[in-house]
């Protein structure tokens, strides 16, 4: 089996001054994940590596650089799936963790559960030896300023201003053993209610992986994505059509038609063909498959 990897850095409207940072950030992530795969590493390690790079890059709404909630706190969601055994791990509304994708993987590999939230997730993290960080390790000046602006506008929008919402990160990888993994990580939406959880840690909505059917990661307005189980829906269309581009387009069409949703999706077929589609002005994504000399990044 020849390796393949695709990442995204969020669907929405990316301000012109941030386009290049999104391109560079997704490129760095995909090349790091690719390196893991060509050295014979697992899809799980490639997905973790690629997402950690984007969580550490303050360009994105994940890990450092995340949007603040209505109380000026950072609450993070992440989901991880091993398509070879249908194992799932996820965390939601978790604070003071630099790399929630690692914690989601730990839930998958070292607990009997699929989803841990808030204080329970933090206690599990401490038990697993994860260091806790400070709010200021995650919240950057750009986001404090946004929070103050939104505070002033007293916005508690039911549908967030999608024009500005972007930056969830995700990855799907296929390794040399034919195993697929998928993961997604986010700080959620700006000014969200404390405790609000979007699609990202919900298996089948924000992420899905099955060696037999393929893998997906989603981004966009989480409340709409969750209602149509976008990640699993795209794999349903892939089973029907065999075409990754048609499958992602069909899933996004349902998102738009049924729930007036906005978002994007990346996908890998079981043999490593990439697909992507979005109905927002931008989505940052990058991919590399066998036979390519370098990754392609698009914003
Ligand atoms: N898709 C990210 C979120 O809505 O939280």
């Amino acid at each position: 089996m020849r390796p393949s990897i695709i990442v995204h850095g969020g669907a929405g409207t990316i301000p012109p001054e941030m386009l290049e940072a999104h391109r560079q950030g997704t490129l760095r992530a995909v090349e790091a994940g690719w390196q893991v795969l060509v050295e014979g590493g697992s899809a799980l390690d490639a997905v973790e590596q690629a997402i950690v790079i984007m969580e550490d890059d303050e360009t994105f709404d994940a890990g450092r650089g995340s949007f603040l909630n209505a109380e000026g706190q950072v609450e993070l969601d992440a989901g991880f799936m091993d398509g070879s055994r249908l194992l799932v791990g996820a965390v939601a509304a978790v604070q003071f963790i630099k790399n929630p994708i690692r914690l989601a993987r730990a839930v998958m590999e070292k607990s009997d559960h699929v989803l841990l939230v808030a204080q329970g997730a933090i206690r599990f993290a401490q038990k697993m030896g994860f260091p806790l960080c400070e709010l200021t390790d995650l919240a950057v000046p750009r986001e404090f300023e946004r929070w103050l602006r939104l505070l002033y506008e007293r916005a508690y929008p039911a549908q967030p201003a999608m024009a500005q919402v972007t930056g969830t990160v995700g990855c799907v990888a296929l390794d040399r053993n034919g195993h697929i993994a998928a993961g997604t990580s986010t700080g959620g939406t700006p000014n969200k209610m404390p405790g609000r959880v979007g699609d990202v840690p919900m298996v089948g909505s924000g992420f899905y992986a099955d060696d037999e059917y393929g893998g997906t990661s989603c981004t966009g307005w989480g409340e709409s994505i969750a209602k149509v189980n976008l990640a699993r829906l795209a794999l349903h269309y892939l089973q029907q059509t065999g075409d990754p581009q048609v499958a992602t387009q069909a899933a996004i069409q349902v998102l738009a038609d049924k729930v007036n949703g906005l978002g994007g999706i990346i996908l890998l077929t079981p043999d490593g063909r990439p697909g992507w589609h979005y109905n927002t002005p931008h989505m940052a994504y990058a991919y590399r498959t066998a036979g390519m000399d370098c990754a392609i990044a698009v914003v």
Side-chain angles (χ1 to χ4, degrees), residues 61 77 168 186-189 196-200 218-223 225:
D61 172 34
D77 305 332
T168 291
T186 191
T189 48
R196 177 267 186 191
V197 174
D199 60 302
V200 165
C218 299
T219 164
W221 177 29
E223 280 75 3
I225 291 170

Side-chain angles (χ1 to χ4, degrees), residues 75 189 194 289:
E75 290 184 334
T189 48
T289 62

Side-chain angles (χ1 to χ4, degrees), residues 32-67:
W34 176 259
Q35 203 52 41
V36 172
L37 296 172
V38 292
E39 286 170 5
S42 69
L44 299 168
D45 288 343
V47 167
E48 179 181 325
Q49 179 68 29
I51 291 183
V52 162
I53 283 176
M54 291 186 284
E55 286 177 337
D56 290 344
D57 182 339
E58 66 182 52
T59 303
F60 302 106
D61 172 34
R64 179 171 172 77
S66 287
F67 294 129

Side-chain angles (χ1 to χ4, degrees), residues 228-248:
V228 298
N229 290 171
L230 188 65
R232 191 65 186 84
L233 185 65
L235 294 182
H236 162 76
Y237 286 121
L238 182 63
Q239 268 176 275
Q240 283 192 342
T241 66
D243 184 319
Q245 292 296 7
V246 172
T248 50

